[in-house]
Amino acid sequence: MSTQASGIEELVRQLAARLTGKGWMLATAESCTGGMIAAACTDLAGSSQWFDRGFVTYSNEAKTEMLGVPAELIAKHGAVSEEVVRAMAEGAIRHSRAQVSIAVTGVAGPGGGSAEKPVGTVWVGWGIESRTFVTCLHLEHGRAAIRQATVIQALKSLLTAISSPS
């Protein structure tokens, strides 16, 4: 097992312990990672105790249909934006039995970037009950590395958020 994979496994174990301790369930809403966060979570035996579901919403239509992200919001801000990842995180909670969500949308490359949103621009959002938080990452080193780093940062961000006092 690679060091990176074992690092993800440890983050998932810590997340599982925190969620289980609080009696919370997790839902994921993923675009650029295509389900990698959900896969990392469900790689851990017993994850059905704290993982509810994963939405892979790669297309704009899927974001609208599955998560309720308004098409107008996507048209105005673009799929890779603070506004859209916030709506994805909130939609994942609204369309599941989860109290907690992770959402990601970004430009993993190698193409698709722009001057405003270059390859490696990734928005991460997480919802905890009625609160939503977002952050923007600027990642490098190709598609696979960007996607892997997104998984790690998304898990770390959520773990930190649910470990902090309300």
Side-chain angles (χ1 to χ4, degrees):
M1 178 183 304
S2 74
T3 303
Q4 212 168 32
S6 62
I8 290 172
E9 186 177 302
E10 182 54 32
L11 287 169
V12 170
R13 285 185 193 290
Q14 291 175 29
L15 184 60
R18 294 278 162 66
L19 291 171
T20 303
K22 293 178 179 285
W24 286 348
M25 297 291 283
L26 172 66
T28 60
E30 301 179 67
S31 187
C32 63
T33 51
M36 292 170 67
I37 298 169
C41 290
T42 58
D43 276 348
L44 182 64
S47 58
S48 62
Q49 298 300 308
W50 55 272
F51 186 85
D52 182 52
R53 66 190 74 187
F55 299 93
V56 177
T57 56
Y58 208 74
S59 71
N60 292 342
E61 293 78 12
K63 290 172 183 65
T64 298
E65 292 168 10
M66 296 174 72
L67 299 171
V69 176
E72 305 78 35
L73 194 70
I74 297 170
K76 182 175 181 180
H77 300 285
V80 179
S81 64
E82 176 179 357
E83 294 81 3
V84 169
V85 83
R86 182 177 299 277
M88 290 171 68
E90 292 167 356
I93 290 176
R94 197 170 47 254
H95 294 277
S96 71
R97 294 187 182 123
Q99 297 76 31
V100 178
S101 67
I102 298 176
V104 295
T105 184
V107 184
S114 67
E116 301 82 31
K117 298 175 187 176
V119 170
T121 302
V122 178
W123 282 93
V124 178
W126 56 100
I128 302 172
E129 297 180 305
S130 62
R131 299 171 294 147
T132 309
F133 308 90
V134 298
T135 191
C136 187
L137 307 174
H138 300 282
L139 305 168
E140 298 179 341
H141 305 299
R143 183 175 182 83
I146 289 168
R147 292 175 62 174
Q148 191 81 355
T150 298
V151 172
I152 292 167
Q153 291 305 314
L155 291 169
K156 282 182 178 178
S157 295
L158 181 58
L159 187 58
T160 297
I162 64 174
S163 299
S164 300
S166 298

